[in-house]
Amino acid sequence: MESASHPIQVGGSLKLDRGAGSLPGWATWAVLGGSAAVVAAILIAAGAFTVALTLVFGTVLSAIVLYAWSRAVEGPRRALDRVMTLWIAAAFGLAMIPLFSLVFEVAKRGIPGLSAEFFTSDARGVVGGGGAAHAIVGTLVITGVATVISVPIGIMAAIYLNEYGTGRLRRALTFFVDVMTGIPSIVAGLFAYALFELFLGPGIRLGVMGSLALSVLMIPIVIRSAEEVLKIVPDHLREAAYALGTPKWKVITKIVLPTALAGLVTGVMIAIARIVGETAPLLVTTGVVDSMNTDPFNGRMQNLAVYAYNEYRSPGVMKQASYDKAWAAALTLIAIVMILNVAARLVYRRYKTEIR
Amino acid sequence: MSSSRWLVMVAFAVTLALGVAACGSSSDETNGGGSSSGGEVSGEIAGAGSTAQQAAQEAWIAEFENENSGATISYDPVGSGGGREQFMAGGVAYAGSDAALATEEGELEKAEKRCEPGELIEVPDYISPIAIIYNLPGVEELQLDPETLAKIFAQEITSWNDPAIAKDNPGVELPDTRITPVNRSDESGTTQNFTEYLSEVVPSIWKFEVSGDWPVKGGEAASGTSGVVEAVSAGEGAIGYADASQAGELSVAKVKVGKEWAEPTAEAAAKIVEESPLDKELSPGKFTIAYELDRKTESQGTYPIVLVSYLIACTKYGSASEAEAVKAYAEYVVSPEGQELAAEQAGSAPLSSALTKKVTPAVEAIEAG
Amino acid sequence: MSPVDTTTNAGQLLAAASGGRRRRGDRVFSRTAVVAAVTILALLAGVAIFLISEGFPAFTHSAAELPEGKSFLDYVAPLAFGTVLAAALAALVAVPLAVAVALFITHIAPPRIALTLGYLVDLLAAIPSIIYGLWGIFVLGPAAVPVMKWLEEKLGFIPFFEGPASVTGRTMLVAGLVLAVMILPIVSAVAREAFAQAPRRLQEGAQALGATRWEMIRMTVLPFGKSSVISGAMLGLGRALGETMAVTIILSVSGAVSFNLISQANPSTIAANIALDFPESSGLAINALIATGLVLFAITLVTNMGARAIIARSNQE
């Protein structure tokens, strides 16, 4: 930490005090460790020891001790700085606990359910056993179709907003894209269901209905991120191209898009990662089935999210096996999302064009 | 095209190829076992309904698909109410329901209408006791008479060491824990059967309307049979009602019948159905066989909190392959083999031979081909 | 507007030389872009028409015909209350935490690991909601039971903790906390962007004058990022309002409007109610559910617009 400088008279709120000295570098850690030990000892003596309580009270005690010690040695301002840093770090730690707990629990409960069978066979003809291959393939197909629908429309709309749009259509589109981001996922599902029910009768369940519902959720995300990325492409690139006589559409496809490509791909992958785990819209649109189905236009299609929900909610005869599979499906979903996220960032770093 | 664009396209192509390959491998799987008798059925049909029947349906579907590799059956356990709704709307080919189609709200009419020009089929296919499950560490055996049971679920008795419970359980040390009654939050035939029992046997205490929706607010509400089982497992002092086949390791209470304390066994459940008459009002057609259970029975060896779950179908369907598949599946479900399988896998009581004799002509009336 | 500058000679020559083909290419492309824009508006209009037309019957029919025999207002009021309560709870917990997380990553953590920490927090956003639901019911719920018991004992006089504490942990408190974890990464991502872009000169100036790091943050970074944090909070709030699966799985729904956060009798949220009831509904009940969807959509819209207004106003300052 910075050591005190000689006092300077400054007006207003920055009153510099006569900082006498400073705490040794190990001070914070010592206080933390000491407080934890003291609190743990008290708790054990009282018979109420848990890790959680130790952490909570240990942090509180550390804050008090650190403040008192620092105030005595370094002065009140620096003491406040130390304590606030402690609190912020503690808050960060607190925020990280759910993340680790989530990943840990899903891994712990999901790994028993993983097996070669899980990935290669569907649940057809097997009671309490079988795999989730049909669900995995279903997720890929439904998400794939949703991507094929959303990405062209979304990117073209972003191009419109950024390169062409003027006046009322542009303002309306911006406003409504905002509105679209607020559509609850289940409403999107109901919409897709109602649309198909209109033409194909009640009780219809198709993979492509799920894709439509997911598209409604995906398009605004794609548009927003694409718009941001397109905005960053500097105008001087475009102007240079125009000056050379390039038609506008070529400027966009040959200059703007390639420059923004890394960001666009990242945005698309993040959008895919967002919707790949959506359950609610798929519950009402794609149905439940044991068998493999790769045709989105024909018949019910299972997918990982609905599969996990079903195995949890209706475990059937062999309950633990079903729960294991639900967690395994959840683990697979997280893995897919993580892979997509990491791939998105790698693509971005590898392919982004440095703009000088 | 730039190299990065190729890279992205290749990645997607590979992913899709993997998917197709996985598809190919599993459809090449030969499902061994089960001789395929001549006349294998193919086609895809969907059913929906009761969560109580879910374990049995799973077993039936698995075995049926093993013997008919071209057939794909799906059963969506959305709850008895949902199954009936989807059936009446024509969304599914068959439904599983813990309660026979009712005359209120014109359910029976709507179902008959859906089946036109054919006729409605409604037959029992799953008989199972409803267990009273509870979670009270230290109390292995629990006995409850109908009055106490009703008061607990009506939230009039709120503590486990209440004198009424102590009276039913002499010599058992009951803790001072609060009772948490767990009920179904979704519309359920299990709820309907349980509330029917309570309102018939102790109407002075259970004054609520009998329906698939749980009438008492303020309890712990869980979705689906497994939801109730989970909630009871997780909560100390919790008590709930669920299909006995799903009770798992939870403790089950004995209920007073006459002078005896009855356990929820398959035999006891079958016995009470045997002793019950047909419900004439709900069985108007040739192929509708709905029972009016005599829940007030005091005869030995019966367990009156029982669930008779029905298979609902039509005699005629739009397409020949659909009709054929439904007929073959329904015939399997009510056959002795099918019922044995359900007893084994789901703990239900197989249809008695007398019942099977009544039920088989109904499903054979489905016009296939 | 011609893409080629025809005020110069060169430009005129070029325009003349390849005129036809270029203009057609331009027309096709720009038309496609416009078509895309219009498609989206059409899609949105479709959703709006669907919501309004399917939901409308619920507004006009009498109470006796609607589910639960209540008027539509009576039906949706507890649901709307539950929705807003859960979301508000989530925002209350998530926003301060998110600000702290953002500050930690941008100003306190060593720069080398700051990037990794950012990825970790973003990972929270990537976890599907059904997993949050399972985690809530199997991990957080049971862990919260002793905490809720303690709250009932010590703070039971506050209406929020009136109890009796649920024994399974499936309460509004747990649902709100799970929602908070879900929206934390959204708010923190926006806050991080803002804090990272606080003007370096101001920050360095403060430090040069001898301000401690906390004072610098308080004086330069926080005021700068205030409007972004608010917009991030609104974004998170929007997400929490519409969250379906996590709440559906976690909440024990058996009550009416109540501020009691730790009991087993909770009002449902609009989205969870639709998910639970839709499979078994038909006729007017479906219309009623869709009408509640419309109400939810309206609530989310108002929240989003409020956010925009606040940002616009603070941008003007």
Side-chain angles (χ1 to χ4, degrees), chain C residues 69-303:
Chain C
K70 300 183 191 155
S71 74
F72 181 70
L73 204 58
D74 284 334
Y75 178 64
V76 80
L79 297 174
F81 175 80
T83 309
V84 173
L85 181 63
L89 190 57
L92 215 63
V93 171
V95 172
L97 269 183
V99 168
V101 165
L103 279 179
F104 185 81
I105 293 178
T106 53
H107 285 86
I108 298 185
R112 279 172 307 143
I113 67 172
L115 206 57
T116 319
L117 292 179
Y119 286 175
L120 279 182
V121 176
D122 287 343
L123 211 54
L124 274 177
I127 296 181
S129 57
I130 186 172
I131 295 176
Y132 278 105
L134 293 178
W135 178 73
I137 205 174
F138 282 111
V139 179
L140 191 61
V145 170
V147 175
M148 291 193 298
K149 270 214 193 73
W150 181 87
L151 283 171
E152 181 191 4
E153 276 172 41
K154 306 291 182 201
L155 300 174
F157 55 90
I158 306 177
F160 289 121
F161 306 125
E162 221 178 293
S166 153
V167 292
T168 56
R170 298 171 57 225
T171 62
M172 189 58 86
L173 182 66
V174 171
L177 287 178
V178 171
L179 285 178
V181 177
M182 287 176 86
I183 68 172
L184 179 83
I186 300 176
V187 184
S188 121
V190 174
R192 248 163 46 218
E193 279 302 311
F195 293 161
Q197 290 182 15
R200 292 217 70 85
R201 249 170 264 173
L202 283 181
Q203 298 182 52
E204 287 162 2
Q207 285 191 301
L209 290 169
T212 63
R213 185 163 56 188
W214 167 246
E215 284 165 349
M216 170 197 75
I217 291 175
R218 202 188 55 205
M219 287 190 298
T220 60
V221 176
L222 286 182
F224 179 80
K226 190 169 67 158
S227 72
S228 289
V229 168
I230 294 177
S231 90
M234 290 296 180
L235 224 73
L237 199 60
R239 171 90 201 265
L241 285 169
E243 177 50 43
T244 316
M245 286 322 294
V247 177
T248 307
I249 293 178
I250 294 177
L251 212 51
S252 158
V253 176
S254 69
V257 174
S258 148
F259 281 99
N260 191 345
L261 295 177
I262 61 174
S263 83
Q264 65 214 15
N266 303 290
S268 188
T269 66
I270 294 179
N273 186 55
I274 297 179
L276 281 171
D277 284 359
F278 184 74
E280 57 199 33
S281 302
S282 74
L284 205 51
I286 290 192
N287 294 106
L289 287 178
I290 295 179
T292 62
L294 187 59
V295 171
L296 176 62
F297 192 34
I299 296 178
T300 319
L301 197 62
V302 165
T303 314

Side-chain angles (χ1 to χ4, degrees), chain A residues 124 202 261 313-315 317 323 351, chain B residues 65 69 71 89 223 226 230 345:
Chain A
R124 186 192 163 83
L261 186 67
R313 196 178 177 279
S314 316
V317 182
Y323 281 174
Y351 288 105
Chain B
E65 284 179 348
S69 56
S223 170
S226 67
E230 271 310 307
Q345 301 277 359

Side-chain angles (χ1 to χ4, degrees), chain A residues 312 319 323, chain B residues 133-135 180-184 219-240 250, chain C residues 137-138 166-170 249-252 264:
Chain A
Y312 155 72
K319 192 149 82 154
Y323 281 174
Chain B
I133 45 179
Y134 68 96
N135 176 353
T180 300
V182 182
N183 57 269
R184 290 281 292 270
E220 173 98 13
S223 170
T225 302
S226 67
V228 172
V229 172
E230 271 310 307
V232 173
S233 308
E236 191 180 317
I239 183 171
L250 284 170
Chain C
I137 205 174
F138 282 111
S166 153
V167 292
T168 56
R170 298 171 57 225
I249 293 178
I250 294 177
L251 212 51
S252 158
Q264 65 214 15

